[in-house]
Amino acid sequence: MNQTIEKLVSLCKRRGIIFQSSEIYGGFGAVYDYGPLGIELKNNISQLWWKEMTQVHENIVGLDSAILMHPKIWEASGHVNAFHDPLVDCKQCNSRYRADEFGDDYDSIEWDTIKCPKCGTTGKMTEPRQFNLMFKTHVGPVEDSGAVTYLRPETAQGIYVNYQLVQGAMRMKIPFGIAQIGKAFRNEIVARNFIFRTREFEQMEMQYFVKPGTDDEFMKEWKEKRFRFYPNKLGVDESKIRFHEHGKTELAHYAKEAWDIEYEFPFGWSEIEGIHNRTDFDLSQHETFSGKKLQYFDQQENSRFLPYIIETSAGLNRMLLTVLSDAFWEDTENNRIVLKLHPRIAPVKAVICPLIKKEGLPEKARTIVDGLKPHFKVLYDQQGSIGKRYYRQDEAGTPFGITVDHQSMEDDSVTIRDRDTQEQTRISSDQILNFIRDKMD
Ligand code: ATP
């Protein structure tokens, strides 16, 4: 594993951000649990996305569809027949790879000339086999084929099959969007790079229903909006994100045009979000398989048509890995590790510390905590030297350290320390709330 990622993994475990699933049983492959700080961070990120989509855009509404759905949906969507990854094995050391790791044109590779990246043996690689990524499960007590369904591999289909109900109930007029955050499952062949590729993950998807012919224009609009989200809302370094357009061979079976937003992770440039023009592929498939008409009626033009769909599809866990990688900073000068998370997404916004454990300082610090905690997450800490207390919070990404000292008892002021610069300023305690809120905005 990459060294920086290794350090990040260890920090995440130590500070209760992310744990390997089922650790006491030796772990469970490519599944992770989120600890107390991890869940705060994840919630902050997903709430930001949710607000951006469903609050800032008046024509986008939310949905929470079920993970288990009618199995025919996955036939209609193409997942039963086409959601495959090509798999190759090294017969020498039993390592398993996705064939496309060796090149997009893996079909024309001569596999008996390929060297195994792990054991170095040449000539032991198998030909690619197609492997369906969906987790199959049985509904009901009898394991017969009539009751087979799948854990959803994407949240999008739940939106398509509900689109008419949502449109009717909310009287939505095209163009309009439906947003959803939820779990998705893929039986990934190789899971690497920490939470980048896992078998259980969360997606944040928005499907934008538009009139055919206007799709190129909306594709452009959503590409731009989604790209800006990373620097503007998450505070990600703009020089570390870029677009990658899918070439003809990369395009998914449903897509007319597709762009990835990529981030430069410690292990290289990789996709964090996809923006796809899915045309009317999904809706027309669902018309065929369900036998129900799914056209939209345009009252003004008195016409009916199947909308085209522009999809923005982001992985919540990958977004979290993006902000963690971006924020991770080894401050060698001061011998500390810092998570430079934007105050907007930091799990805890401030730590409040009495300088000493007596003379009324703890009580005053507690009063400050009580005043702030209805607004955002703060911590009280009186353990150890003030320097140690700050360093503990630097690692957790807490942007502000507030200290109550003797002067506080006289003039009701406190010092407020900036995590990144370590500079301290003195402000009146009734200004703390506004100070932090300003930085979060
Ligand atoms: P990849 O090529 O990395 O497998 P994909 O092109 O199959 O991804 P999409 O189907 O477009 O991905 O899914 C949309 C988003 O969902 C991705 O951009 C990613 O953020 C997230 N995602 C997909 N698969 C996983 C996974 N196994 N673990 C975590 N996140 C994932």
Side-chain angles (χ1 to χ4, degrees), residues 13 15 18 21 31 66 72 130 154 157 176 202 214 252 266 293-294 298 323 334 338 346 351 385 418 427:
K13 184 175 174 187
R15 298 317 313 263
I18 301 165
S21 159
V31 187
K72 266 201 166 176
Q130 293 297 336
E154 62 175 26
Q157 298 302 326
F176 70 91
E202 273 168 272
T214 63
K293 281 261 165 272
L294 294 175
D298 189 326
V323 300
N334 297 297
V338 187
V351 60
S385 73
D418 181 283
I427 61 171

Side-chain angles (χ1 to χ4, degrees), residues 83 98 154 186 188 195-199 201 203 205 246 254 260 271-274 276 313-315 317-318:
F83 196 52
R98 267 167 67 155
E154 62 175 26
R186 297 183 187 180
E188 299 281 0
I195 56 167
F196 180 80
R197 187 182 303 288
T198 52
R199 299 202 165 102
F201 56 100
Q203 288 188 314
E205 297 196 304
H246 284 213
Y254 52 75
D260 292 340
E271 168 182 345
I272 41 179
E273 172 161 357
H276 312 127
S313 174
N317 319 76
R318 275 193 201 175

Side-chain angles (χ1 to χ4, degrees), residues 252-265:
H253 59 277
Y254 52 75
K256 167 180 160 188
E257 184 186 352
W259 295 78
D260 292 340
I261 299 173
E262 296 184 334
Y263 177 76
E264 192 178 13
F265 288 99

Side-chain angles (χ1 to χ4, degrees), residues 270-400:
S270 304
E271 168 182 345
I272 41 179
E273 172 161 357
I275 298 107
H276 312 127
N277 182 343
R278 295 180 74 130
T279 69
D280 59 1
F281 175 84
D282 301 276
L283 292 183
S284 67
Q285 286 289 98
H286 287 306
E287 275 201 334
T288 309
F289 279 75
S290 69
K292 293 258 159 51
K293 281 261 165 272
L294 294 175
Q295 287 177 323
Y296 170 83
F297 177 60
D298 189 326
Q299 276 179 331
Q300 251 172 351
E301 295 185 4
N302 197 25
S303 67
R304 285 176 198 281
F305 57 85
L306 265 193
Y308 264 38
I309 293 170
I310 306 298
E311 165 184 74
T312 74
S313 174
L316 174 53
N317 319 76
R318 275 193 201 175
M319 212 182 264
L320 193 139
L321 185 61
T322 303
V323 300
L324 283 178
S325 309
D326 209 63
F328 185 78
W329 175 39
E330 288 178 287
D331 180 5
T332 44
E333 204 174 306
N334 297 297
N335 196 20
R336 58 178 191 146
I337 288 177
V338 187
L339 282 183
K340 281 174 137 185
L341 293 168
H342 192 288
R344 196 181 289 131
I345 55 171
V348 176
K349 309 304 177 193
V351 60
I352 292 93
C353 310
L355 187 65
I356 51 167
K357 284 192 238 176
K358 49 188 180 192
E359 293 165 30
L361 272 58
E363 290 71 22
K364 182 150 186 77
R366 286 255 176 230
T367 312
I368 294 175
V369 169
D370 288 343
L372 295 175
K373 71 185 183 191
H375 304 280
F376 37 71
K377 187 133 188 93
V378 291
L379 276 181
Y380 173 84
D381 189 2
Q382 61 171 29
Q383 289 304 322
S385 73
I386 200 78
K388 280 215 180 98
R389 283 182 257 173
Y390 285 155
Y391 276 29
R392 265 203 295 272
Q393 293 308 315
D394 292 344
E395 276 196 337
T398 307
F400 304 107

Side-chain angles (χ1 to χ4, degrees), residues 217-233:
E217 168 198 330
F218 286 115
M219 180 77 190
K220 230 169 112 191
E221 181 180 320
W222 279 105
K223 252 179 71 191
E224 190 53 32
K225 279 186 174 163
R226 291 309 306 150
F227 194 86
R228 298 302 328 156
F229 182 79
Y230 290 87
N232 293 1
K233 301 288 172 189

Side-chain angles (χ1 to χ4, degrees), residues 425-440:
T425 38
R426 197 165 263 285
I427 61 171
S428 161
S429 73
D430 59 9
Q431 285 305 309
I432 303 173
L433 180 60
N434 282 341
F435 180 94
I436 297 178
R437 271 198 175 143
D438 277 356
K439 301 283 182 186
M440 285 169 67

